Amino acid sequence: MTRGDWIAIARKALIASGVDDVKVDVLARRMKVTRGSFYWHFKHRQELLDALVEDWKNNNREEIAAIEKRAAEGATGLIELFKVWLGEDPNFPAFDIAIRVWARKSPEVTKLVHEIDDAWIGLFQLFLERNGISGTEAFVRARVMYFHQIGYYALAIRETLDDRIKLAPYYCESLTGLPAPEGLEDALRTLEKSRAKGKRQAA
């Protein structure tokens, strides 16, 4: 078993039943291996927990950096945000919510969650300001945009990708107070085609 295998099974346990179930003995039984395999890769349980949080943090940081990079190269920031929301790993929302539940018990995790949330909201606010919305309005709209997406995660809303693409321009206008960016739906349709192609290749 690799370090990555241990992190993956720990993530599943966290999502299924919370951080209290992320225990070495429990995970070892599920993978049908000895505790020795764990201690080959980790010094103690806390190191595994730290790796879980790091995994969540890195996922968010990488997405933020990728959006910033594409926007700096001339892409429309709001379109890039919707592409991330609609194109993300379908398993990530449950992981995100599990981290947030864990944060209610852990000041350290709470601090990190707030840092990531602030980074996302700051990015949204920047894009709004580039489109002529400023001050408190930009800040509040950025928050509402972010809370909207977290709400999708928390409520586990069931929609097809096609449905979300159709709704995207309306959500964009409602959340930002701006007309949906030109090319938004076309960009998301390209994303839909890419995902469908990937599924066919995997089959």
Side-chain angles (χ1 to χ4, degrees), residues 9-78:
I9 196 69
R11 187 186 306 117
K12 289 181 180 178
L14 179 70
I15 291 169
S17 49
V19 68
D20 291 340
D21 201 30
V22 183
K23 297 178 179 177
V24 178
D25 289 342
V26 173
L27 301 181
R29 284 197 298 271
R30 289 179 183 175
M31 292 194 292
K32 299 180 180 179
V33 297
T34 67
R35 289 164 52 93
S37 172
F38 174 83
Y39 291 108
W40 180 260
H41 301 289
F42 301 91
K43 294 178 181 178
H44 38 64
R45 175 176 179 262
Q46 186 59 49
E47 189 175 343
L48 174 61
L49 296 181
D50 291 344
L52 273 177
V53 178
E54 191 74 9
D55 185 33
W56 177 82
K57 181 190 76 172
N58 288 342
N59 184 287
N60 280 278
R61 288 292 187 193
E62 287 169 7
E63 287 187 340
I64 291 171
I67 292 171
E68 289 176 331
K69 181 175 184 292
R70 290 195 292 269
E73 292 170 349
T76 302
L78 291 174

Side-chain angles (χ1 to χ4, degrees), residues 127-191:
F127 290 152
L128 290 170
E129 289 172 346
R130 287 178 180 174
N131 284 276
I133 298 175
S134 60
T136 302
E137 182 182 358
F139 173 67
V140 171
R141 285 190 180 277
R143 273 188 162 185
V144 171
M145 290 171 66
Y146 189 65
F147 298 161
H148 157 81
Q149 185 61 19
I150 298 301
Y152 254 86
Y153 294 172
L155 297 174
I157 294 175
R158 296 180 179 274
E159 285 177 345
T160 65
L161 180 57
D162 182 63
D163 286 338
R164 288 208 71 183
I165 290 173
K166 289 177 181 176
L167 294 174
Y170 300 96
Y171 276 130
C172 188
E173 291 183 21
S174 297
L175 295 168
T176 67
L178 298 165
E182 184 177 350
L184 173 61
E185 189 164 349
D186 288 343
L188 298 180
R189 289 295 174 196
T190 300
L191 180 70

Side-chain angles (χ1 to χ4, degrees), residues 98-145:
I99 290 286
R100 294 176 186 281
V101 171
W102 180 6
R104 296 174 188 170
K105 301 180 179 181
S106 168
E108 292 81 9
V109 179
T110 297
K111 181 181 178 182
L112 179 60
V113 167
H114 286 168
E115 288 175 1
I116 292 297
D117 288 348
D118 288 346
W120 276 113
I121 292 168
L123 181 66
F124 295 178
Q125 184 173 352
L126 175 63
F127 290 152
L128 290 170
E129 289 172 346
R130 287 178 180 174
N131 284 276
I133 298 175
S134 60
T136 302
E137 182 182 358
F139 173 67
V140 171
R141 285 190 180 277
R143 273 188 162 185
V144 171
M145 290 171 66

